[in-house]
Structure formats: C-alpha cells, structure tokens
Amino acid sequence: MPLTMMKAGEQVTVREIRGKDEVRRFLGNLGITAGGLISVVSRLDGNLIIRVKDARIALSSAMASRIMV
C-alpha cells in the first residue's frame, strides 16, 4: 500500500519505490530506499512529514504515493 495511507505516528518499512529512475534516485538521495524504515510524523492537506533516519522530510502526496510500504 502507498505511504499516503499511513497514519501519523506509524513506523513502516519501504517495500518498493515506483516511478522513473529520476524519482527513485531523488528519493534515494533523501535516504528513502527499499528496506529502510520511515516514520510518519504528521499530515497536512494530504502532504506528509516523515522521519528518515535522523532527518525530517516533507513530501507531497504525489511523491509519497510512489513509496510502497
């Protein structure tokens, strides 16, 4: 299921990142890779703030929908 369906406070494991190579490379540079852990910090108007390792990252709902957990 896509990351957009997760509730705030949940920690999940990334199973797959869908999209073009550019999208996967961009998310990989942010530390979002298959097998990695992500915590959803909060949601605002469909957009997400997530915690990856020790960083907080804001993602649009379009970008978050490409991350399968």
Side-chain angles (χ1 to χ4, degrees):
M1 78 177 66
L3 182 62
T4 53
M5 297 186 74
M6 299 296 106
K7 296 178 184 174
E10 287 187 286
Q11 185 175 27
V12 293
T13 302
V14 177
R15 301 287 178 213
E16 175 186 15
I17 298 175
R18 295 185 177 170
K20 296 182 180 182
D21 288 338
E22 299 162 357
V23 172
R24 291 194 301 249
R25 191 175 317 116
F26 174 75
L27 292 173
N29 288 338
L30 294 175
I32 303 169
T33 57
L37 293 175
I38 293 178
S39 298
V40 178
V41 176
S42 66
R43 303 176 64 94
L44 182 61
D45 295 330
N47 300 320
L48 299 174
I49 296 177
I50 61 171
R51 180 181 303 273
V52 179
K53 299 179 184 172
D54 291 332
R56 286 186 178 192
I57 300 170
L59 290 178
S60 68
S61 58
M63 189 65 72
S65 67
R66 296 178 178 170
I67 301 171
M68 298 295 139
V69 296

